[in-house]
Amino acid sequence: MTAAQPSSDPSLRRYLDHPRGGPTVLRIVLGTQLRRLREGAGITREAAGDAIRGSHAKISRLELGRVSCKERDVADLLTLYNVTDEAIRSDFLKLARKTSSPGWWHQYGDVLPGWFETHIGLEEAASVIRTYEVQFVPGLLQTADYARAVAQLGHPRSSPEEIERRVQLRVQRQELLTVPDAPRVWAVIDEASLRRPLGGPEVMEGQLRHLLKMAELPNVTLQIAPFSLGGLAAAGGPITILRFLEPDLPDIVYLEQLTSALYLDKRDDVDHYLAVMDRLSAQSESPRESLEILERLLKQES
């Protein structure tokens, strides 16, 4: 066994025994481990690509977790990196098989864009989800009626059946909030989104009541950014930052756009958005004051 082999690193075993986040996260974990082995062995991406009948670009995509991994490719790379311990090789190959297994969200492939699949997988594995929303209530905190109004607004050409599929997907995502070891969700919501009567007064009343109920969960923190603030630290669109307990998963900033999304994991980018979120939280009303605002808005809706 070479020094580069991860014999003392329990990451692979943890993910094999208790996978979270489905294939999205498993690909990132496997890719990170393979990159460490390659670098420890002093082998270039070009040489690794040759070993699996591919290119350095294929190795790069594999190490970044952007593609699933064929068992044969992983076996060949382990041999190239001089990983001979059968137990370690077995763990790597089991993980490679799991990267091709579909996540629960694949059943919604007809209404789920590929760029959003990654977000759901990361969301499932996150320990902390910090989010700032301008126009809408955050997806994880929406009622089915409110989610339906959002879907109809964003997809006006969709059939009623497709709209309902989108609503079902959103509701199933929300089960994440009440599972064992649920992530901490810290949401800053712009007051404008709470005053915009999306779906009508009854829908908004139900949504406000739901936010008050969600705020009772020990892992959910709500803050409202009121109109009185004027300009906010996060000029622009919504921001979500996902943090993970596993060292193989760096913090990731998710920036959703109209028909695509950006995933940022470079340290400088993440630090910039973390500073923005910190300023937003400092500028916004406290969780207690935010609940009082929700109560006042609810009285206006009733």
Side-chain angles (χ1 to χ4, degrees):
M1 184 187 304
T2 68
Q5 297 185 50
S7 57
S8 60
D9 189 339
S11 293
L12 294 183
R13 177 51 54 189
R14 281 200 301 272
Y15 272 98
L16 286 170
D17 293 342
H18 305 287
R20 286 187 62 180
T24 302
V25 168
L26 298 182
R27 287 197 298 264
I28 296 173
V29 171
L30 179 58
T32 300
Q33 293 282 355
L34 289 173
R35 175 181 55 78
R36 289 176 179 169
L37 287 174
R38 178 181 60 76
E39 292 174 346
I43 294 172
T44 66
R45 286 194 179 95
E46 287 77 9
D50 290 341
I52 61 170
R53 301 151 296 280
S55 64
H56 68 90
K58 180 177 180 179
I59 294 296
S60 179
R61 291 194 298 271
L62 189 155
E63 291 181 351
L64 290 171
R66 293 177 180 169
V67 294
S68 58
C69 313
K70 295 180 180 178
E71 285 185 67
R72 184 181 73 170
D73 289 346
V74 172
D76 289 346
L77 288 174
L78 293 175
T79 299
L80 178 66
Y81 303 155
N82 199 26
V83 178
T84 57
D85 185 286
E86 288 302 322
I88 295 174
R89 290 178 67 93
S90 176
D91 282 350
F92 269 92
L93 295 177
K94 288 177 184 176
L95 194 56
R97 285 195 293 273
K98 287 180 177 292
T99 65
S100 299
S101 301
W104 64 260
W105 52 88
H106 282 232
Q107 63 184 300
Y108 296 101
D110 55 326
V111 294
L112 179 62
W115 52 264
F116 193 64
E117 285 187 38
T118 300
H119 177 66
I120 295 181
L122 293 172
E123 195 175 66
E124 290 267 314
S127 60
V128 179
I129 302 171
R130 297 184 67 179
T131 185
Y132 167 64
E133 276 287 353
V134 185
Q135 186 174 2
F136 303 115
V137 169
L140 286 174
L141 302 174
Q142 294 177 4
T143 64
D145 288 338
Y146 185 93
R148 187 173 296 108
V150 172
Q152 290 169 340
L153 182 65
H155 305 276
R157 298 180 182 177
S158 292
S159 67
E161 292 75 19
E162 289 172 331
I163 293 296
E164 289 308 307
R165 294 275 290 161
R166 296 179 193 279
V167 173
Q168 291 167 13
L169 169 62
R170 184 146 300 186
V171 170
Q172 190 163 350
R173 274 177 62 204
Q174 296 169 359
E175 295 177 7
L176 177 69
L177 297 179
T178 53
V179 298
D181 298 320
R184 179 188 175 195
V185 175
W186 185 356
V188 178
I189 308 174
D190 196 289
E191 183 178 354
S193 66
L194 302 176
R195 291 189 175 276
R196 185 175 293 111
L198 187 62
E202 289 186 6
V203 170
M204 284 307 301
E205 179 180 346
Q207 180 61 68
L208 293 171
R209 292 187 185 280
H210 184 68
L211 287 174
L212 288 168
K213 181 180 178 180
M214 290 295 97
E216 295 176 0
L217 294 175
N219 56 312
V220 174
T221 300
L222 295 183
Q223 286 185 272
I224 294 175
F227 286 138
S228 58
L229 282 179
L232 292 173
I239 301 168
T240 297
I241 303 175
L242 303 115
R243 173 159 288 178
F244 310 89
L245 293 177
E246 292 296 338
D248 290 333
L249 296 171
D251 292 352
I252 293 177
V253 177
Y254 172 74
L255 303 175
E256 186 169 321
Q257 301 169 341
L258 192 60
T259 58
S260 63
L262 295 176
Y263 294 87
L264 309 178
D265 61 3
K266 291 183 179 178
R267 192 68 257 170
D268 288 348
D269 291 334
V270 173
D271 286 346
H272 170 76
Y273 279 98
L274 281 171
V276 168
M277 289 294 287
D278 286 342
R279 290 199 300 273
L280 268 172
S281 297
Q283 289 177 317
S284 299
E285 300 291 358
S286 70
R288 181 181 60 80
E289 292 167 334
S290 296
L291 294 183
E292 292 174 358
I293 292 175
L294 287 173
E295 293 279 9
R296 290 198 298 269
L297 289 173
L298 188 55
K299 289 179 180 178
Q300 294 173 16
E301 291 289 342
S302 301

